[in-house]
Amino acid sequence: ESTSNIGQVYYCNDEFLNHSAVNPAFSLLASVSKTKDYAEQFNYFGEAERDSLFNGLYPVKGENTAELLKTKRPNILIILMEGFGGAMVESLGGVKGASPNIDQLSKEGIWFSRCYANSFRTDRGTICTFSGYQSFPDLSVMKIPAKSRTLPSIAEKLAKEGYRTDFLYGGDINFTNMKSYLLGSGYQHLTADIDFPSSQRQNAWGVNDDITFDYLYDQLIGRKESPWHTAFLTLSSHEPFEVPFHKLEEARPNAFAFTDDCLGRFVERIRKTPVWDNLLIVCLPDHGFYYPEEGHPQDERIHRIPMLWLGGAIKQPMVVNKIMNQTDMAATLLAQMGISHEEFSFSRNVLGEEYTYPFAYWTFGGGFAFADSTGVTLFDVNADRPILERPAADKNRILRGKAILQSSYDDLGAR
């Protein structure tokens, strides 16, 4: 169950009206609990050294080196797939039989094969995806509305271009303050568990993916106005992994196979309608999944995630093998549409001419990781030492990771 948060009284896209609806006593207590000076955390370097290490890691300009879309204004569906990391994708070395549809569809669209999640929880991954914003080892920006409402967002940018925006989730949209973030980031209409009859809320978290995918299909084919942007957060590939589907013996991979099956059936249905012709579907997970439970739970294997673009708006199939993060989806998408993304300061256009140093960065409780062509380093920020370095120690990975961590907190503190 979601605990009380200000998102429960948010009801529109007007921030003034939303704040007017919040109980003043609640606001006072919430504010007192979040008085930390974020800019003072993790001050590893003086400003000149920090800037020298950080400068150039996140380029914001540059022409595209490849054009992926047939049109600059497709209708856009972003499917955020609960926990569906590479550990559950067979073509990425994951569980056999859990992702046949994703593996097949990857041959038909734009397949980003070396993408990494920035964090380990849905509230963090949602911010990373839709705002292209950095993750943190000891806080969730979604739970701090005074900060989250200052972030750029894909929905807000598209709304300014005339897009209608909406968000679909089969669970409790008040969980972890999600509702306040979504309304504040430009989603004009929200659909959640309470919008479905109680008979369809069979999952402990809400409505299973077969029902929400069917709902999504009906909504899309019934639309008369264009352009639109819809975001959809799936649910069934989450514990307790109880789904109306029986393909794999073990419950966890079977739940992921269920979501994969729902996705495959949805794509095949929508492909046969006129909606497909001007449609861009972006599929990526909110975070990875620790399975099988061996090795470090925050290792590269766990944080590697698939990202797939498909639909009638795609020019032709393509594989992008550059190391990248899920935060980079925002800048890459907007750049393909010819829309400025300069305010997305932690998001890179991976198909831009300035993207010359591919790397990935992610955080977890008490640490961060940095991966590039030389290998990967997991770093414990409390002990101030590496947890894992593979294939060999590299001080540059540590220095750059620290510079990103410090710059992230500086940015958050300034908001």
Side-chain angles (χ1 to χ4, degrees), residues 46-62:
E47 179 56 25
E49 187 176 3
R50 182 209 63 79
D51 184 66
S52 176
L53 288 166
F54 183 77
N55 188 35
L57 293 179
Y58 292 90
V60 297
K61 295 183 179 180

Side-chain angles (χ1 to χ4, degrees), residues 113-152:
S113 64
R114 302 190 70 187
C115 185
Y116 291 86
N118 289 72
S119 193
F120 59 99
R121 290 285 301 273
T122 299
D123 53 329
R124 277 100 160 154
T126 301
I127 293 275
C128 294
T129 299
F130 296 109
S131 288
Y133 195 61
Q134 199 52 271
S135 59
F136 298 85
D138 65 352
L139 63 89
S140 168
V141 181
M142 183 178 281
K143 296 179 181 179
I144 315 173
K147 299 296 185 181
S148 67
R149 67 171 177 260
T150 70
L151 300 179

Side-chain angles (χ1 to χ4, degrees), residues 230-301:
T230 293
F232 170 38
L233 172 59
T234 69
L235 177 147
S236 295
S237 50
H238 192 293
E239 60 185 356
F241 308 111
E242 295 174 356
V243 295
F245 186 77
H246 306 284
K247 178 184 176 182
L248 303 180
E249 289 187 10
E250 190 175 348
R252 287 182 291 178
N254 182 69
F256 285 88
F258 173 62
T259 295
D260 176 82
D261 182 72
C262 294
L263 172 66
R265 288 188 293 105
F266 168 80
V267 171
E268 286 310 304
R269 292 177 71 194
I270 205 76
R271 190 198 303 271
K272 298 173 183 177
T273 73
V275 174
W276 181 262
D277 297 338
N278 192 45
L279 178 62
L280 170 63
I281 304 175
V282 177
C283 301
L284 76 165
D286 50 355
H287 54 79
F289 187 73
Y290 186 38
Y291 183 89
E293 294 182 357
E294 55 189 42
H296 196 282
Q298 306 297 339
D299 199 0
E300 177 184 19
R301 175 181 73 88

Side-chain angles (χ1 to χ4, degrees), residues 379-391:
F379 193 86
D380 185 324
V381 297
N382 297 313
D384 196 33
R385 62 175 178 80
I387 304 169
L388 178 153
E389 293 191 276
R390 191 174 55 238

Side-chain angles (χ1 to χ4, degrees), residues 114 323 357-359 371-375 391 397:
R114 302 190 70 187
I323 298 175
Y357 175 43
F359 71 87
D372 62 11
S373 61
T374 69
R397 294 199 297 262

Side-chain angles (χ1 to χ4, degrees), residues 64 66-77 110 158 161 163 226-228 274-282 309-316 332-339:
N64 288 322
E67 296 295 333
L68 306 182
L69 307 177
K70 296 176 182 177
T71 172
K72 293 294 186 182
R73 293 295 179 269
N75 293 318
I76 300 171
L77 169 62
I110 314 299
L158 294 181
E161 296 292 323
Y163 279 71
S226 186
W228 50 259
V275 174
W276 181 262
D277 297 338
N278 192 45
L279 178 62
L280 170 63
I281 304 175
V282 177
W309 294 16
L310 66 156
I314 293 292
K315 277 188 174 181
Q316 60 187 17
T332 304
L333 173 62
L334 294 172
Q336 287 294 318
M337 300 175 68
I339 300 174

Side-chain angles (χ1 to χ4, degrees), residues 6 19 22-36 38 143-146 149:
I6 70 170
H19 283 285
V22 180
N23 181 299
F26 187 99
S27 291
L28 174 63
L29 292 173
S31 298
V32 168
S33 70
K34 296 186 171 61
T35 57
K36 185 181 294 185
Y38 299 108
K143 296 179 181 179
I144 315 173
R149 67 171 177 260

